[in-house]
Amino acid sequence: MSNFVSYDNAEEILQEYADKIKEKDRTFHGTQAEWSALTTAEKAKYDFAAFTDDYDPSAITNPNLLDNPWFTINQRGKSSYISSGGQIYTVDRWGMGSNNVSCDVTNDIITLTHADNTNNGDLFQRVETSKFKDIVGKSITASIMLSDGSIYSQSGIMPTIESTNKTVVDFAIGNTGYKMSVVARTSNILVPIYCTVANATISIKAVKLELGSVSTLAMDTAPNYATELLKCQRYFVRLKPNVGNTVVGIGFAGTASDLRVPISLPCEMRTTPTLTKSSASHYKYTKTTAAEATTASDVLLWSINGTNAAIRLIGTYDVSGTYLVYVSSTTAFIDLSADL
Amino acid sequence: MEENKSKVYILIDDNNRVIRVEGGYTTPADLTGWIEIDEGTGDKYNLCQSHYLEKGLMTEDGIYQYKYENEEVVERTQEEMDADRQAIPVVPTDAEKLEAQVLYTAMMTDTLLEEV
């Protein structure tokens, strides 16, 4: 005997059960407009709704694809940067590429002043292309917030990146005489803020590059300092003492002129960095006491292996000897730049 | 919007050996004595200290690997680098210094022991 019972009206029975389930369902399945059209009594029938009366689509904010977008990380520590030719870096991740430009940093506000209009990018950030997975054909929006809170933005579609540079957005920042662009290049995405008239000035609070066709910069606040610092240190690290006579490390004399000193980095850097230093005279080495320390004649980068690095202290050593290395001044620093 | 190119500068010694290469983000403030050799964009030019010279400025034992010749930076020959190595003064180790001091003291005090 079969355990299965055959019903000719199986479809009707199933529909009946579906209707009963629907009666019990207290989830609203309509659109936001349909939800808004309901009366309070009708809304009370539902326990779950994708939309509520407090729902505000503009309250959603997208991740910012730029680093240090609120200019809070300033490892170089200056309050004013002046470009007199070539490219220099200012607050972390933001470079200057024009002559006759000054960049002042006050309370995390960047003020650019430009004596001419050479259009070379008063302030720029290069974003690694690898940050943009599957971005071709998608909308992106660039926006900028000035010190008075006003926001200017423009959206564009990310093109296929080929050998030639492609401008994705390019818009005037109010009547400041400045413009902002996003330029897709094979090596990186360039985000410049540049001057179009002589003697222009602009004060910038924040900059944003995001996916989507609407700027959500108005909903943002400055990112967490610690995580933002670490993100920036992928590109630049300043090692500096907080008091005088700070130990750098113990070095090994590989040759009679070359002491190799292991140091630790906070994170792996983007590429092999270049090293600049305050003054070699800040760096001392000794086998015994500080009183018998010798001043190094130069400090160079020796090697990088993940977060382990080594510097070379040029001096006169006993081969295979070990030496204590320290800095004698609070103004001493070693900069490791892997800036993009 | 144009993008500035970075220039590359070298410093040479009396023997035309390239002893420094800088440019881009590490351009020296005072370029007196430096020679401009190239310009371009990207890591090679912006971070030229560690990216411009293919073999690096020095060998592992601190011998300069490039020279400036006919207004070009070229690799030095193995013979040239070997000559640099041989010219490095040998610095005695601590043990050698101590041994020399003991020997000197023994000679001056006439207490040098004859080897048996």
Side-chain angles (χ1 to χ4, degrees), chain B:
Chain B
M1 217 301 295
E2 300 167 19
E3 188 179 12
N4 266 7
K5 290 180 177 176
S6 291
K7 292 180 178 175
V8 181
Y9 301 89
I10 58 166
L11 197 62
I12 59 174
D13 64 8
D14 292 342
N15 296 317
N16 286 340
R17 293 178 296 198
V18 178
I19 58 171
R20 292 272 300 276
V21 55
E22 302 287 355
Y25 305 137
T26 59
T27 304
D30 181 5
L31 288 168
T32 307
W34 290 79
I35 303 167
E36 181 185 329
I37 57 165
D38 202 356
E39 68 174 355
T41 59
D43 285 352
K44 181 178 177 182
Y45 300 89
N46 292 332
L47 303 170
C48 48
Q49 189 187 95
S50 50
H51 292 262
Y52 188 78
L53 298 174
E54 195 175 324
K55 290 187 165 182
L57 187 66
M58 291 181 183
T59 60
E60 276 208 353
D61 55 349
I63 304 297
Y64 295 112
Q65 306 208 82
Y66 290 85
K67 62 184 174 182
Y68 189 59
E69 196 173 75
N70 300 323
E71 300 191 346
E72 271 188 278
V73 173
V74 294
E75 287 182 34
R76 299 178 71 214
T77 65
Q78 191 61 48
E79 290 74 25
E80 288 171 328
M81 293 198 292
D82 286 344
D84 280 5
R85 278 191 191 93
Q86 285 161 14
I88 295 172
V90 177
V91 177
T93 65
D94 284 351
E96 287 169 338
K97 282 181 188 172
L98 181 63
E99 189 180 351
Q101 184 63 46
V102 169
L103 185 64
Y104 176 77
T105 307
M107 287 172 67
M108 296 305 289
T109 57
D110 205 18
T111 56
L112 185 63
L113 297 175
E114 295 294 332
E115 287 187 17
V116 180

Side-chain angles (χ1 to χ4, degrees), chain A residues 23-63:
Chain A
E23 282 174 17
K24 301 286 185 187
D25 184 6
R26 291 178 59 80
T27 303
F28 181 76
H29 296 284
T31 64
Q32 186 188 5
E34 289 167 343
W35 172 262
S36 299
L38 297 180
T39 64
T40 304
E42 287 169 329
K43 285 177 180 174
K45 294 178 185 173
Y46 300 101
D47 290 331
F48 309 103
F51 310 106
T52 70
D53 290 340
D54 296 330
Y55 174 75
D56 177 5
S58 66
I60 293 174
T61 183
N62 293 319

Side-chain angles (χ1 to χ4, degrees), chain A residues 69-72 108 206 220-225 228:
Chain A
W70 288 67
F71 314 125
T72 47
D108 301 333
D220 287 356
T221 185
N224 177 283
Y225 183 87
E228 205 62 22

Side-chain angles (χ1 to χ4, degrees), chain A residues 51 85 165 213:
Chain A
F51 310 106
N165 298 344
S213 57

